[in-house]
Amino acid sequence: MRKGIRCVITKIKARQIIDSRGIPTVEVDLYTNKGMYRAAAPGGASTGLYGAVELRDGEKGKFLGMGVSRAVKNVNEKIAEALIGLDPTVQSQIDQAMIDLDKTENKVPLYKHIADISGKASVVLPVPAFTLINGGKHAGNNLSAQGIMILPIGASTFEEALQMGSEAYHHLKAVISERYGPTGCNVGEDGGFTPNISRQDAIDRTGYGERIKIAMDVGASEFCIGGNGT
């Protein structure tokens, strides 16, 4: 059998685009001898202590200082030079090249590393978390937590979990509309609704009962005073 052609990165082109919240972010085209692939990396409204560090221009006269032209330049010049010629399927080499350029310690572990240290021989899709209600920096209501989510832990497949999350979202929309009118169905930056409610009627309406649990993305770093978590 003839051996397949090795995949090689031939070109990398970054640009500044606007994300769904109207904030600049980086989009990159990755060219290989087998095709071109595109991805973008939107930032969050709040940044946790261990979240990815954003490189913003800080030029107040453009995009209120949120531009990413410096980050784009880094990709087009420094990162592209380091990655061209590498096989994009060999993740360890890509990671090491990026680490050598970055030289900082606060790296986010990859999903496979997490599976390895968890003792999982095979990697499976996790239970998805659906943001239903936004608060904190993601909304203009009185909720301190930035995200109230649901976890369809009773789903037997990812497809079923997706269905359960979608149904709960639309039942919640109906509950909010009944109590607060159509204007109560405004959404926050993460797509969750933003009313000042605390009950779980939407989950009850789905009929899934205990198969769905409520989860919280508190955004606790936003409550930090003086950088020490107090």
Side-chain angles (χ1 to χ4, degrees):
M1 181 181 292
R2 187 174 65 178
K3 192 173 182 180
I5 299 174
R6 176 173 171 263
C7 188
V8 176
I9 297 173
T10 59
K11 179 182 176 182
I12 294 175
K13 176 64 177 177
R15 66 183 63 86
Q16 176 175 278
I17 64 170
I18 304 300
D19 70 15
S20 61
R21 296 180 294 123
I23 297 175
T25 191
V26 178
E27 181 179 77
V28 175
D29 292 343
L30 177 73
Y31 294 83
T32 75
N33 56 320
K34 295 189 177 182
M36 188 274 281
Y37 308 89
R38 176 175 295 167
S46 60
T47 302
L49 295 178
Y50 302 103
V53 177
E54 295 180 342
L55 178 61
R56 299 289 180 180
D57 294 341
E59 190 176 347
K60 296 301 181 183
K62 293 183 178 180
F63 295 105
L64 305 178
M66 299 295 286
V68 291
S69 61
R70 287 194 298 157
V72 168
K73 184 177 180 181
N74 282 343
V75 174
N76 287 334
E77 296 179 3
K78 298 178 180 179
I79 295 177
E81 181 181 355
L83 299 187
I84 288 176
L86 297 183
D87 184 339
T89 67
V90 183
Q91 189 65 54
S92 59
Q93 290 184 5
I94 301 292
D95 289 346
Q96 191 57 55
M98 299 286 282
I99 290 171
D100 291 342
L101 284 174
D102 187 52
K103 296 183 173 62
T104 59
E105 300 296 329
N106 54 341
K107 299 296 183 297
V108 179
L110 295 171
Y111 72 94
K112 189 176 186 307
H113 175 62
I114 296 175
D116 289 341
I117 63 176
S118 300
K120 301 293 184 181
S122 60
V123 178
V124 296
L125 285 172
V127 174
F130 297 87
T131 297
L132 297 191
I133 298 176
N134 279 148
K137 279 196 170 184
H138 289 180
N141 55 21
N142 297 324
L143 297 175
S144 297
Q146 72 178 25
I148 298 177
M149 305 176 292
I150 60 167
L151 301 174
I153 61 171
S156 57
T157 65
F158 190 90
E159 181 180 11
E160 184 184 14
L162 186 63
Q163 175 186 328
M164 293 167 69
S166 175
E167 290 175 0
Y169 183 87
H170 288 288
H171 278 300
L172 177 59
K173 182 177 181 179
V175 170
I176 294 172
S177 182
E178 290 169 7
R179 294 185 179 175
Y180 302 98
T183 57
C185 295
N186 292 335
V187 298
E189 291 188 350
D190 276 358
F193 299 112
T194 58
N196 294 307
I197 61 174
S198 59
R199 299 177 61 179
Q200 64 172 39
D201 293 2
I203 294 178
D204 294 336
R205 289 193 184 192
T206 65
Y208 292 121
E210 292 300 312
R211 297 177 67 198
I212 293 179
K213 296 295 185 181
I214 295 177
M216 302 285 288
D217 177 6
V218 178
S221 296
E222 297 300 327
F223 306 146
C224 179
I225 300 174
N228 60 5
T230 59

